[in-house]
Amino acid sequence: MRVLWIAGLISFSLMAREPLAQRIDWAKARMGGQIHGGAGTLGIQTLLGRDAITGLNFMHYGPLSAKSSIGAHFHNDSEEMFLILDRDCEFTIDGHTALLPAPVGVPCQLRRSHAVYNPTDSPAAWVN
């Protein structure tokens, strides 16, 4: 229920702003590597910062490069939600891995280990 409330709040907040499709720009994504000890590269563009919506830490978007990952990690003070928009990706939650078909959303609960891997030969568009 909390995830639905947050998704609704984000949708309402975004209606008053420039359309999301116009704000997303992979060219603006800051490319990095070794995110949480993962392999390959991940692009990050901040769509909403920490002060944009009460109770939301941030909203990022970017390309998860082919054969790249966000390494296993967890949070003690917040939950996280990953959305993979266009490629099938492998998610690992507490050591259990499954290939999930895109588009897919994966909620990551407080203090639960989570990771994502793009096994394809093309970048995967992701939001968290």
Side-chain angles (χ1 to χ4, degrees):
M1 185 66 166
R2 183 177 175 175
V3 171
L4 292 176
W5 177 83
I6 290 171
L9 185 59
I10 291 169
S11 297
F12 177 78
S13 174
L14 294 177
M15 287 189 291
R17 299 173 181 244
E18 180 180 4
L20 185 59
Q22 291 178 9
R23 287 186 284 135
I24 294 173
D25 183 356
W26 277 22
K28 293 179 184 175
R30 180 173 40 90
M31 296 304 288
Q34 304 297 310
I35 304 300
H36 294 296
T41 57
L42 170 73
I44 297 176
Q45 178 188 0
T46 299
L47 299 179
L48 296 171
R50 292 188 184 273
D51 296 326
I53 298 174
T54 301
L56 179 73
N57 284 338
F58 57 80
M59 182 179 216
H60 292 144
Y61 171 83
L64 177 58
S65 297
K67 312 291 188 224
S68 293
S69 66
I70 298 170
H73 66 286
F74 63 93
H75 307 278
N76 284 321
D77 58 357
S78 63
E79 295 180 324
E80 188 169 27
M81 174 92 174
F82 282 92
L83 304 174
I84 302 296
L85 305 177
D86 60 356
R87 301 280 180 262
D88 297 353
C89 286
E90 294 177 5
F91 281 87
T92 302
I93 304 292
D94 287 340
H96 301 280
T97 302
L99 180 65
L100 301 180
V104 66
V106 179
C108 304
Q109 296 176 329
L110 192 68
R111 298 184 186 97
R112 306 280 306 266
S113 175
H114 52 279
V116 61
Y117 173 67
N118 174 9
T120 72
D121 292 326
S122 300
W126 69 276
V127 174
N128 80 325

